[in-house]
Amino acid sequence: MKQLLELLGFIALVQGVLGLVHEFTHWHVGLVQRLGLLDGYGVYVSVALVVLALALFAAAESRKSG
């Protein structure tokens, strides 16, 4: 379970950072910019993904490794 939380946290962190890179540099990277539903909310979604990643990492840290 700990590894799954860490994996999901890593994916959310990468997608959040790539979304912020896209918003500020207009490079076509990341999944956030490909979803038409999120047009105009890219920065907010990317920041939310980074916060979610931090919460997932904290949850994984609180779990036992066994």
Side-chain angles (χ1 to χ4, degrees):
M1 184 63 144
K2 182 177 180 176
Q3 289 85 15
L4 178 64
L5 290 172
E6 289 173 345
L7 176 67
L8 292 174
F10 178 74
I11 292 171
L13 181 66
V14 168
Q15 289 301 317
V17 169
L18 287 177
L20 289 172
V21 166
H22 168 72
E23 289 296 323
F24 294 116
T25 64
H26 299 289
W27 289 354
H28 295 291
V29 294
L31 184 63
V32 173
Q33 59 104 10
R34 297 181 196 272
L35 299 175
L37 175 71
L38 302 174
D39 281 346
Y41 298 102
V43 173
Y44 303 114
V45 172
S46 297
V47 169
L49 280 171
V50 171
V51 170
L52 174 66
L54 295 175
L56 286 169
F57 288 141
E61 189 64 31
S62 71
R63 304 290 272 171
K64 294 180 185 173
S65 62

